[in-house]
């Protein structure tokens, strides 16, 4: 592993100032990731998002008397696949338990989950920070469980409606160790975990649809001191909200302790409109749920050969892809990190390179030009311009067929009209002017029109940039900037460093 890792115990992250000195925030996370599967965990009911309320509910999901759960083998495979992607221990024997609690959207009065013997044990995720530092977050476990339904409180002034479409949907609960030390690290952890499950195809990571949500555990302590009492913030569903919730909660706890109060362990909700957390209920302990092995389900016994078969089908994951982009394509760690965060952007870059463009130039073009336009229009890859076309633009700039300025204009044309970039350059006369006589003509015209500027530039050679800009304007951005510079220096007798 890289030499700039920090260990779990080292001082890392930012300290929060308080009236009695600095404080350290300690963060752990429980992420609920909906298993990408067309059927639920213990029934054959569908899982598609956006169906009419209660249209995807089997008799098992509704907990009708005498209905027995039957395990969905594909969901088990998806959990194992995720565990392997997290470099985690796969437990060949695991047990399903009943977690008892009463809620209107939980028809059976218990949730089938896993407690003491989960399907996946310890693993880790490597997190890269913008500073270039990397650190490891331990994964404590991953277990399979069924989701509850949804209570809708805003449909009628007097009644709560219950939609059981989600009831019984397979979830992976991925529990981290309390290894994060700032709101930025917490958001980076979720971003990385989301990238991994999306690469694996085990969860779509659509946080706005609720298929990935996080419970965030936050406590504060004096640097290096013993752990404080933690509060759990339930169901936070965006990176931005996680960062805001951690910031607010850490400050709230520090203010209480410094004011002479104590933190009580509780479950809190994050109000994204107000940007604050508020108390929901006191935190239950495991014994409050009266866990016991589900009598309707046998222990889950996996065959090592079956697990090994799944391992052989894993794709190249973000960390490996990033290392390859740096080694084989010469990309900077930052650019490689940006491009591998989504599988689609990594694939898009590779297609551009296969078409013959230089990888470094492609990375810069995508990050600085193309992705910016996609974000502005709220679009995702591939967007309106295929990788082959963007590759052609990059290649034409590299071989001085078009200038950087024309490249941006060409992207505008392709964005709105489509077409073949090379043919457009040819038909619209966008080729870069490298013909010295044409450039000399343009330079002479600019010099003749601006005698006062000529005197200024002789005194301050750095002003030559203004002349270059004027010549580029005259030629519609088609003149080769290096050639313009060379002609200008010769005409105005400027020193080389001007």
């Amino acid at each position: 592993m890289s030499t700039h890792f920090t260990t779990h115990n080292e001082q890392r992250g930012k300290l929060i100032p308080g009236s009695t000195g600095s404080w350290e925030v300690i963060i752990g996370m429980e992420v609920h990731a909906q298993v990408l599967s067309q059927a639920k965990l213990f029934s054959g009911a569908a899982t598609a998002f956006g169906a009419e309320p209660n249209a995807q509910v089997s008799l098992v999901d509704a907990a009708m008397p005498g209905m027995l759960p039957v395990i969905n083998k594909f969901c088990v495979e998806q959990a194992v696949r995720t565990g392997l992607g997290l470099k985690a221990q796969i437990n060949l024997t695991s047990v399903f338990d009943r977690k008892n609690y009463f809620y209107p959207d939980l028809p059976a009065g218990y949730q089938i989950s896993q407690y003491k013997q989960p399907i996946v044990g310890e693993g880790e995720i490597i997190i890269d920070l913008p500073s270039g530092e990397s650190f490891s977050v331990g994964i404590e476990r991953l277990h399979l469980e069924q989701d509850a339904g949804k209570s809708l409180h805003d449909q009628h002034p007097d009644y709560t409606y219950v939609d059981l479409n989600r009831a019984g949907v397979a979830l992976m609960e991925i529990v981290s160790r309390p290894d994060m030390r700032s709101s930025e690290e917490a958001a980076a952890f979720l971003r990385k975990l989301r990238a991994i499950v999306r690469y694996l195809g085990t969860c779509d990571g659509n946080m706005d649809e609720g298929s990935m949500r996080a419970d965030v555990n936050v406590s504060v302590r004096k640097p290096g001191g013993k752990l404080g009492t933690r509060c759990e913030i339930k169901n936070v569903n965006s990176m931005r909200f996680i960062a805001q919730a951690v910031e607010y909660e850490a400050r709230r706890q520090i203010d209480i302790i410094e004011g002479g109060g104590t933190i009580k362990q509780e479950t809190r909700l994050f109000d994204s409109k107000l940007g604050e957390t508020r108390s929901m209920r006191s935190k239950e302990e495991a014994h409050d749920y009266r866990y016991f092995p589900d009598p309707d389900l046998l222990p889950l016994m996996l065959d090592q050969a079956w697990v090994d078969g799944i391992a052989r089908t894993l794709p190249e994951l973000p960390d490996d892809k990033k290392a390859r982009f740096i080694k084989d394509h010469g990309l900077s760690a930052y650019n490689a990190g940006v491009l591998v965060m989504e599988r689609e952007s990594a694939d898009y870059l590779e297609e551009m390179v296969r078409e013959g463009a230089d990888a470094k130039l492609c990375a810069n073009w995508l990050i600085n030009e193309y992705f910016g336009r996609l974000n502005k229009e709220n679009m995702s890859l591939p967007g309106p311009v295929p990788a082959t076309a963007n590759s052609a633009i990059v290649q034409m700039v590299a071989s001085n067929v078009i200038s950087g300025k024309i490249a941006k204009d060409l992207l505008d044309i392709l964005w709105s009209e489509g077409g073949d970039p090379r043919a457009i350059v040819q038909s619209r006369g966008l080729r870069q002017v490298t013909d010295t006589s044409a450039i000399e003509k343009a330079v002479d015209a600019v010099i003749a029109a601006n005698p006062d500027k000529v005197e200024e530039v002789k005194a301050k050679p750095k002003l030559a940039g203004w002349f270059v800009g004027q010549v580029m304007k005259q030629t519609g951005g088609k003149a080769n900037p290096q050639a313009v510079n060379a002609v200008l220096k010769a005409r105005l007798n400027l020193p080389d460093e001007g």
Side-chain angles (χ1 to χ4, degrees), residues 252-326:
R252 183 189 76 86
Q253 292 184 21
I254 291 165
D255 289 348
I256 288 173
I257 298 167
E258 292 189 328
T262 53
I263 303 301
K264 60 178 195 290
Q265 188 170 337
E266 62 178 349
T267 301
R268 299 179 70 82
L269 286 174
F270 177 65
D271 184 327
S272 57
K273 290 190 180 70
L274 298 174
E276 60 187 42
T277 67
R278 60 169 186 267
S279 186
M280 182 181 166
R281 58 174 186 259
S282 64
K283 176 68 180 159
E284 297 88 347
E285 298 297 338
H287 59 253
D288 295 331
Y289 290 123
R290 302 190 334 278
Y291 279 100
F292 63 89
D294 192 302
D296 296 333
L297 289 158
L298 291 166
L300 190 59
M301 315 284 280
L302 306 181
D303 181 46
Q304 186 62 52
W306 184 68
V307 173
D308 294 343
I310 296 170
R312 285 193 289 275
T313 68
L314 294 191
E316 182 183 40
L317 289 167
D319 288 342
D320 296 331
K321 203 179 276 289
K322 179 181 172 183
R324 179 168 64 80
F325 279 11
I326 293 169

Side-chain angles (χ1 to χ4, degrees), residues 37-225:
S37 158
Q38 293 185 340
K40 294 182 181 179
L41 185 54
F42 299 112
S43 81
T47 57
F49 178 75
E52 285 294 306
N54 298 306
Q56 299 179 160
V57 187
S58 78
L59 296 175
V60 175
D61 309 324
M64 290 296 165
M67 291 296 111
L68 294 175
V70 177
I71 190 82
N72 177 338
K73 184 180 177 182
F74 181 68
C75 290
V76 174
E77 185 179 326
Q78 290 285 64
V80 169
R81 198 173 164 79
T82 305
L84 292 167
L86 298 174
K87 302 182 177 62
Q89 168 72 37
I90 306 299
N91 297 324
L92 297 181
T93 302
S94 61
V95 173
F96 282 102
D97 298 283
R98 288 188 181 180
K99 177 182 182 180
N100 295 273
Y101 61 96
F102 295 95
Y103 213 66
D105 53 22
L106 191 72
Y110 61 82
Q111 175 191 35
I112 303 177
S113 183
Q114 293 187 311
Y115 178 46
K116 284 192 170 152
Q117 292 178 265
I119 189 167
V120 175
E122 294 189 352
E124 71 166 358
I125 293 182
I126 305 301
I127 311 296
D128 299 324
L129 294 171
S131 63
E133 183 189 31
S134 296
F135 70 99
S136 157
V137 172
I139 298 296
E140 205 165 276
R141 57 188 279 141
L142 176 157
H143 64 254
L144 271 172
E145 64 183 24
Q146 54 179 182
D147 204 353
K150 194 174 181 187
S151 295
L152 306 166
H153 306 292
D154 56 357
Q155 309 285 306
H156 190 281
D158 302 322
Y159 304 114
T160 288
Y161 287 21
V162 175
D163 178 7
L164 295 180
N165 279 348
R166 286 192 72 92
V169 163
L171 298 178
M172 297 177 285
E173 181 169 331
I174 301 159
V175 182
S176 88
R177 292 203 176 284
D179 290 341
M180 291 156 274
R181 297 289 179 268
S182 70
S183 57
E184 292 83 3
E185 288 185 6
F189 167 77
L190 193 60
R191 197 172 291 116
K192 184 63 171 283
L193 177 58
R194 181 177 180 272
I196 291 169
V197 294
R198 282 170 57 84
Y199 267 74
L200 291 166
T202 56
C203 173
D204 62 22
N206 289 340
M207 298 184 79
D208 51 345
E209 293 179 3
S211 56
M212 197 170 190
R213 47 198 199 267
D215 299 342
V216 189
N217 290 300
V218 178
S219 66
V220 296
R221 69 176 180 188
K222 288 293 184 180

